[in-house]
Amino acid sequence: MGGSAGSLRRLSDSEGELISQESEEPRPPQDRRGAHWKNVVGFWILGLCNNFSYVVMLSAAHDILSHQKESGNQSHVSDPGPGPHNKSSRFDCNPVSTAAVLLADILPTLVIKLLAPFGLHLLPYSPRVLCSGFCAAGSFILIAFSRSVPVSLCGVVLASISSGLGEVTFLALTAFYPRAVISWWSSGTGGAGLLGALSYLGLTQAGLSPQHTLLSMLGIPVLLLASYFFLLTSPEPQDPGGEEEAERAARQPLISGEDPEAPERKPDSSSGLSLHEKWTVFKGLQYYILPLILVYFAEYFINQGLFELLFFRNTSLNHAQQYRWYQMLYQAGVFASRSSLRCFHIRFTWTLALLQCFNLVFLLLHVWLNFLPSIYLVFLIILYEGLLGGAAYVNTFHNVALETSDEHREFAMTTTCISDTLGISLSGLTALPLHDLLCHLP
């Protein structure tokens, strides 16, 4: 672990020090290129592993709530029969909305992210990563062997703690590496969505029981720990240069009053910022935080509030299979757009928020009026929904990294990652009563 970011990058607030990287001799160009590729690949794998358990829980949400108690060691997470759960409604509804799984999967993350800017920096990075990895493994094991919905939801909570703690930790860590790692991290989180949804869909479609499917995923937390402790190199002084530096110079500073000509300080612990500085940074971030909240509110209202109700009876896919396909196509769109930063940048993320809200209204009208003739049209809309959501995420963090000074960047990245979680939480709270309303329609 001696070469890892976690072992070298330790906060010691009682002494007000960081382990200095400046005393190290600069690496030769060839070694620097090798370190660059290790770091970008490392952050891609960290993004993949960090979001994997979160995505799997959402993909398995319909199965988790289709509780069927069975004898022996068989998990309650099983393929539901073809018959509807609520025969009095035109929807094939579970007694509880899949938004319940969403809330269990997101509220612990929200608490972590709300508290992170004020105290998480007191804990070194390595224990945070270890905690994240163990919680992810615990979530798979607990749900696989659970025989009741409440116990399964406790497993979902563990997955939420893992992904929330990991996201706030790794995004803060990007402040100590070249800004290129942000796009690789974002691509990895998109890959988690695609691989997580596709693996759960594929393994269950192939006949593997949901219990064994979840247990087969225990290698993911191991890969996360290995990537952090053995693949990442120690941070070096940043010198982005080139096209990225030119773009940064052309931008207005995010924090009013910042002198763009002033030399920037190297990233330091966010604990060195006063409350007034943190408040000033937070106010400057609103231009990006609010659109991201709106994007995630709309898309997760669709995903966990409407997916279950977008049920087509004139297809060979049963209800559970339709739900899994929706999740997989959404995640495919997210992966594609989160990997697109090297192709194009979007500064005005409000546009993405408005388009996502239009998707929500359109699909809500279909659920109410049932005017779309084919499930394949819904497939296309859901793919487009994922493209918008992924683009909003990667461009928001890219813009924040470009427009925030080095001394503020760790705090700014930690604070901005509250946006998606807050939007998702609000959507889950709103989707629960909507589910009950629509499921009682004749």
Side-chain angles (χ1 to χ4, degrees), residues 64 67 69 76 145-153:
I64 289 173
H67 174 53
K69 223 172 192 179
H76 81 278
F145 292 104
S146 166
R147 294 183 58 79
S148 70
V149 172
V151 173
S152 292
L153 291 179

Side-chain angles (χ1 to χ4, degrees), residues 168-213:
V168 76
T169 296
F170 295 128
L171 277 173
L173 192 63
T174 62
F176 302 91
Y177 289 85
R179 279 181 287 275
V181 301
I182 297 173
S183 63
W184 286 80
W185 157 268
S186 298
S187 176
T189 59
L194 181 60
L195 183 60
L198 190 59
S199 61
Y200 189 81
L201 170 67
L203 291 173
T204 52
Q205 288 276 96
L208 198 63
S209 72
Q211 179 187 33
H212 293 116
T213 297

Side-chain angles (χ1 to χ4, degrees), residues 243-253 260 347 402-403:
E243 181 182 344
E244 187 177 82
E245 188 63 32
E247 180 180 358
R248 178 178 171 85
R251 295 286 187 98
Q252 293 297 318
R347 188 180 184 192
L402 282 176
E403 301 187 14

Side-chain angles (χ1 to χ4, degrees), residues 128-158:
R128 294 191 230 170
V129 177
L130 285 170
C131 180
S132 177
F134 287 136
C135 285
S139 70
F140 290 132
I141 294 170
L142 188 58
I143 295 176
F145 292 104
S146 166
R147 294 183 58 79
S148 70
V149 172
V151 173
S152 292
L153 291 179
C154 290
V156 176
V157 168
L158 283 179

Side-chain angles (χ1 to χ4, degrees), residues 231-353:
L231 187 56
L232 290 188
T233 65
S234 58
E236 288 190 331
Q238 299 180 36
D239 182 21
E243 181 182 344
E244 187 177 82
E245 188 63 32
E247 180 180 358
R248 178 178 171 85
R251 295 286 187 98
Q252 293 297 318
L254 186 65
I255 311 304
S256 58
E258 247 180 43
D259 180 6
E261 301 298 326
E264 292 192 351
R265 292 182 289 178
K266 292 182 176 65
D268 204 347
S269 168
S270 59
S271 60
L273 301 179
S274 67
L275 285 177
H276 179 265
E277 283 181 293
K278 290 181 177 180
W279 176 246
T280 303
V281 173
F282 178 75
K283 287 192 296 183
L285 292 171
Q286 296 309 298
Y287 180 80
Y288 293 116
I289 286 178
L290 293 177
L292 196 58
I293 290 174
L294 193 57
V295 166
Y296 272 83
F297 172 82
E299 71 184 76
Y300 274 85
F301 193 101
I302 295 171
N303 293 2
Q304 304 306 125
L306 302 184
F307 273 9
E308 188 189 6
L309 306 178
L310 294 168
F311 177 45
F312 288 80
R313 300 179 188 273
N314 59 342
T315 178
S316 60
L317 300 173
N318 66 31
H319 196 176
Q321 290 169 338
Q322 289 180 38
Y323 183 88
R324 294 170 194 159
W325 272 102
Y326 291 155
Q327 289 287 353
M328 192 278 293
L329 288 168
Y330 161 76
Q331 298 294 353
V334 169
F335 172 65
S337 56
R338 287 194 181 188
S339 305
S340 66
L341 191 61
R342 296 186 69 86
C343 301
F344 57 88
H345 303 160
I346 301 173
R347 188 180 184 192
F348 301 105
T349 53
W350 275 105
T351 305
L352 302 173

Side-chain angles (χ1 to χ4, degrees), residues 329 359 374-387:
L329 288 168
N359 281 343
S374 170
I375 192 173
Y376 296 104
L377 293 175
V378 176
F379 283 170
L380 288 175
I381 295 170
I382 290 172
L383 181 65
Y384 170 61
E385 174 211 348
L387 289 171

